[in-house]
Each structure stands twice: as C-alpha cells, then as structure tokens.
Amino acid sequence: MSATLHDAVWRETPHLHACFRSSIIEGLQTAWAFSGGVQAPQEPDLVAGLVLIAGPLMQQGLQLRLGRHGIHVSIATVFCHQCPKVTYAGMQKSSCELGDLLFVHVHTATDGAKTRNALLYQAKRTSTQPHHVSKTDHDQLGLYLRWPAFRYDSPSSLAGEMRDVLPHAPHRGAQYLLLDRLAV
C-alpha cells in the first residue's frame, strides 16, 4: 500500500511523536551515562548523544511506521559543534558557529518521489525559561534572527564561500534547541 507522505504522517502522528520522544530521551540518557553520573554532561556531550543514539533510533522508528505505507526513510545526523564558523556584516566578534546539530532526512515513496528536508539546531544547555541569550552569543542570535548573507570561515574546504539563506528571517529549518540541564 503506497500513500502520500502527508497521509502516512497524518495516520502515524501519535506513533511518530512517541518515537521522537523516546529516541531523544535515550540519546540524552546515554550522554548522562557516559558522564559517569558525577557531573552533568556538557552541551557537546548532549548533542553527541542526539547524533549517535537518537538519530539512528528515529530512523528505525520512522522506517517501521512509514514503511508500512510504502515510504522509505533515510536520516543522517551531523555533529557540527564549533565547525563550520561563519561571518556576516555587522558582527561584534570575528565569527560564530553555524550550528551544533544537523538533521537531514529523505522520504522516498514507492513511485520514487523524494521529499527532502534539513533542520539545523543551535543547542543551548539551560534550565531557565525563557532562555536569555548571553552577550557572547549575540552574533549567533543575529544569524538565526536575520539570516544575513554570510561567509564561511571554516572548515578550509568551505572557507570564503558565501551563502544567502532565504528568508532573511527566523524559519523552521534553523532553530535554537534548548536542552534542560536538569532533565533526564
């Protein structure tokens, strides 16, 4: 049975939410376990848990639920903490990181039609709500709020290349990911 991606996701929404929730919890719990339980894991440790554990679990869950509708799922997670770094006009510092975590997913229907999407997250470990961005992160906040044209500073394979992401406003493809430092 082949369904459109929209129909399949609609039918499986409660199961997909449960899959995402349990995958994220497992990834964060793994980060806590590796920290030895003596101290809270650092932000890069939490992101690594999401990349190494949560991403593959999400792919398994999505494939299980959407596969029965004739949709193949592929997910790649990328740990990109501190690299790449970018610059844009009007920054206070010399550069800022583009993000911490990139999710790329491809859904392929039985007819071969592909739907692709990517989500870039800038992780912040915090337990305060609302979260207040520190002065040292204002350039990065400016990037996520305005998406001005920017230039890659690193890695060397991208250095000097320009990007102009549209819209020049906050959007769903790039978000702050607030990791409660007291949770899990």
Side-chain angles (χ1 to χ4, degrees), residues 8-158:
V9 169
W10 179 255
R11 290 182 196 141
E12 300 292 341
T13 293
H15 301 288
L16 297 177
H17 284 175
C19 167
F20 292 141
R21 187 178 312 110
S22 64
S23 298
I24 290 167
I25 290 170
E26 184 72 25
L28 296 177
Q29 285 179 333
T30 299
W32 276 89
F34 280 127
S35 73
V38 176
Q39 63 182 22
Q42 298 298 307
E43 175 191 298
D45 302 319
L46 295 169
V47 172
L50 294 174
V51 168
L52 297 172
I53 305 300
L57 289 174
M58 286 179 193
Q59 177 166 334
Q60 290 173 4
L62 283 168
Q63 188 58 50
L64 174 71
R65 301 309 302 192
L66 298 179
R68 62 184 68 189
H69 299 281
I71 297 169
H72 175 74
V73 178
S74 177
I75 292 181
T77 51
V78 180
F79 179 90
C80 46
H81 180 71
Q82 292 297 316
C83 188
K85 291 209 175 199
V86 300
T87 59
Y88 63 89
M91 288 182 66
Q92 297 172 7
K93 294 170 34 179
S94 61
S95 66
C96 67
E97 70 179 347
L98 183 59
D100 287 312
L101 173 62
L102 179 66
F103 277 99
V104 179
H105 49 98
V106 179
H107 300 91
T108 307
T110 53
D111 65 2
K114 293 185 184 294
T115 302
R116 296 177 177 95
N117 206 346
L119 305 166
L120 178 66
Y121 290 106
Q122 175 54 50
K124 298 294 178 194
R125 194 178 74 145
T126 182
S127 62
T128 59
Q129 296 295 328
H131 174 70
H132 296 283
V133 176
S134 70
K135 285 186 177 189
T136 60
D137 290 331
H138 279 194
D139 288 334
Q140 193 171 57
L141 178 61
L143 180 68
Y144 276 68
L145 288 176
R146 296 187 300 279
W147 285 104
F150 62 86
R151 179 179 52 90
Y152 284 99
D153 283 349
S154 67
S156 60
S157 61
L158 292 173

